[in-house]
Amino acid sequence: MELKLLLIIAVYSIFIQNFVLTRFLGLCPFIGVSKKMSSAVGMGFAVIFVMTLASIVTWLVYNYFLDPTTSILKYFSPEGTAPDLTFLRTIAFILVIASLVQFIEMFIQKTSPSLYRALGIYLPLITTNCAVLGVALLNIEGNPSIGIEGKFTFIQSGVQGFSAGAGFLIILILISGLREKLELKEIPESLKGVPIAFITAGLMAIAFLGFSGLTL
Amino acid sequence: MENKGLFEEFIKGIYKENPITAIFLGLCPTLAVTTSLINGLGMGLAAAFVLLFSNIIVSSVKGIVPRKIRIPIYIVIIATFVTIVELIMAGFIPSLFRALGIYVPLIVVNCIILGRAEAFASKNSLGRSIIDALGMGIGFTIVLVFLGSVREIIGDGKLLGYYLFGPEFEPVLLMILPPGAFILIGLILGTINWIEIRKNQKIFLKFKEKKLITTENPK
């Protein structure tokens, strides 16, 4: 049962509610880095990595510090009650993500210089990628269309983070392949570059609408 | 930069350096929430509010912020104002808050706000930063309102909840759905490019004409 639910979460965040094409998250890198296939792949893998880790870490921060029902802060207060800090989630999450990205950057730089050369320039950009903060927020809001009303569990959050990143990578690869081809095609002067990329994305989004008929 | 007129500073955010159509920043909320005029307006005003106050604070503390950790500091400043907007919106206009959903907290990572803090407010005086924020905020809101109204009119046949057409009007549902947003913004950017190309061509032709006249005149 639990495994089936995880699979449903994965399929939902990769195809049915794709982060780029139906939730409009992460559009800046989607337009900015999708000109060449190689940079798109680098960015995509960096995003998968950061999103998975960010989902896990923000889940821990939310559940053990911010949410009063499960917070560990109640063990430190004399009355045994924890303060409700959920209103701080935006600040807490963005700080966690920013420092996590910085930490990953330093860690990769020290341990694997070749990986750093491949992903390095994309990592600072990821802090302001709304898909990362978006997945952290969606993890605590739940998803009624899958039947999860409250917040996700720890494993569900990790799965959602990973599969949302995978969905992002797939879209980035598809669009960069199309844009490489479009460079050589004759298109009206005024639509060249970003406008045609958006229209292509629109057509892809129509194709992805087909997945919404999927019943799981 | 300093000798630029104040009015020019204000007006540049609306068309010439419009955050969305000229520098492609802040696209995520632009496309996600503009299913109706009211949503677009709400999002635009919320982002403009955050932009204004973060510009004010960033510009005021620019002398004391160490260069190396300026980005985290800016992010905390922005996140504070986003939380304020979130709480105000949830308290006073809960229907709009529900409609905008996670895109309200996501104003934090709206590249426009961090971009203006880094590129403008941290280098310019307080007054200039306020004017810049107002111009950019209004430019952003105009695009959002425009997108929202077009999508609402075509996709729903309504504007502000009132039906514009007769009962036989068949709404193009696609415009409300995600693909419509992508195609519409592509067409808008294409139109702006077209206007710019036409303008450049006209200037080019004018120069050419003048040259022809000057080359012919000596005779």
Side-chain angles (χ1 to χ4, degrees), chain B residues 165-208:
Chain B
F165 309 104
E168 63 270 21
F169 175 75
E170 192 113 359
V172 188
L173 196 62
L174 189 72
M175 289 311 275
I176 291 282
L177 294 171
F182 281 115
I183 293 171
L184 188 63
I185 189 94
L187 292 177
I188 290 175
L189 295 176
T191 316
I192 288 173
N193 273 354
W194 184 72
I195 294 169
E196 288 295 311
I197 291 170
R198 287 281 299 254
K199 223 167 38 186
N200 289 345
Q201 265 173 352
K202 259 183 200 160
I203 294 169
F204 180 70
L205 284 177
K206 222 184 245 170
F207 270 98
K208 217 177 172 182

Side-chain angles (χ1 to χ4, degrees), chain B residues 9-27:
Chain B
E9 204 79 85
F10 174 70
I11 212 80
K12 73 166 196 283
I14 294 176
Y15 181 74
K16 223 172 86 199
E17 288 178 32
N18 186 292
I20 298 171
T21 59
I23 23 189
F24 315 123
L25 288 180
L27 289 165

Side-chain angles (χ1 to χ4, degrees), chain B residues 1 14 18 24 30-31 38 44 46-47 50-51 61 66 83 88 96 102 106 113 132 179 183 185 201 216:
Chain B
M1 193 144 200
I14 294 176
N18 186 292
F24 315 123
T30 310
L31 299 185
I38 207 78
V50 176
L51 179 59
V61 299
T83 308
I88 291 176
L96 185 65
I102 65 159
L106 283 179
I113 295 166
D132 175 73
I183 293 171
I185 189 94
Q201 265 173 352
E216 280 169 14

